[in-house]
Amino acid sequence: MLDMFPEMTRFQKDMNRFFSGLTQEYDQQHPPINVWISEDDVLVRAELPGMDPGAIEITTKGDLLYIKGSREPEPLEEGCRYHRQERGFGRFSRGLQLPFNVDQQKVEANYEKGILQIHLPRAEEDKPRKIAIKSE
């Protein structure tokens, strides 16, 4: 029964989206992201096609990353109507807990071809240190 839970959750989201009409805002899992980590940094890539980079807000605090923004609906030409609309619009917010604190002064972000890439270096004080053992 537990194996069916993810599929049932996806089905419920699909049905909610189907019955919500054309004005649905993004769900809380938008934008979709991939995250890579190493000992020294985190790399986050978020899919945000067609966004104006000025409409995206990135904030960090300790080990938390927030991506917020808003996408305007695409205008319809006069006499046209949607046959299918899968790309959402409206406000979105995505929070992510990182595996360690980041150095906020060194965080870098760039946006290219619809992909937002955020490089988050690990804070120096958060890096593990080897402790020398003294003996007498």
Side-chain angles (χ1 to χ4, degrees):
M1 185 67 170
L2 290 177
D3 291 342
M4 293 178 50
F5 188 73
E7 186 64 23
M8 289 172 34
T9 301
R10 187 190 62 74
F11 179 72
Q12 181 180 12
K13 282 185 178 182
D14 288 346
M15 294 306 290
N16 288 344
R17 183 174 27 245
F18 178 76
F19 288 110
S20 68
L22 300 177
T23 61
Q24 176 181 346
E25 295 185 0
Y26 292 124
D27 69 10
Q28 64 187 19
Q29 294 302 309
H30 189 83
I33 60 173
N34 288 338
V35 181
W36 293 267
I37 63 169
S38 72
E39 289 293 318
D40 297 323
D41 58 5
V42 175
L43 179 65
V44 176
R45 288 193 181 135
E47 292 182 11
L48 291 165
M51 289 285 302
D52 174 7
I56 304 168
E57 179 183 320
I58 302 167
T59 56
T60 61
K61 182 174 182 178
D63 65 345
L64 300 174
L65 168 69
Y66 296 99
I67 304 171
K68 298 177 185 177
S70 180
R71 182 193 322 254
E72 297 299 318
E74 295 179 77
L76 283 173
E77 292 183 23
E78 191 173 324
C80 291
R81 59 188 168 91
Y82 282 107
H83 172 69
R84 185 176 189 103
Q85 183 184 20
E86 294 181 359
R87 292 185 58 196
F89 60 89
R91 298 200 47 75
F92 62 87
S93 178
R94 183 85 193 256
L96 178 66
Q97 185 168 14
L98 304 170
F100 44 71
N101 290 333
V102 298
D103 185 341
Q104 294 185 37
Q105 302 304 317
K106 295 182 180 176
V107 173
E108 295 179 357
N110 61 27
Y111 180 79
E112 186 177 337
K113 296 182 180 178
I115 304 295
L116 174 65
Q117 181 168 292
I118 309 167
H119 178 248
L120 303 127
R122 188 173 194 167
E124 202 60 41
E125 62 271 6
D126 197 59
K127 291 181 180 178
R129 287 185 281 280
K130 188 173 184 177
I131 308 298
I133 302 172
K134 297 178 186 177
S135 66
E136 295 181 34

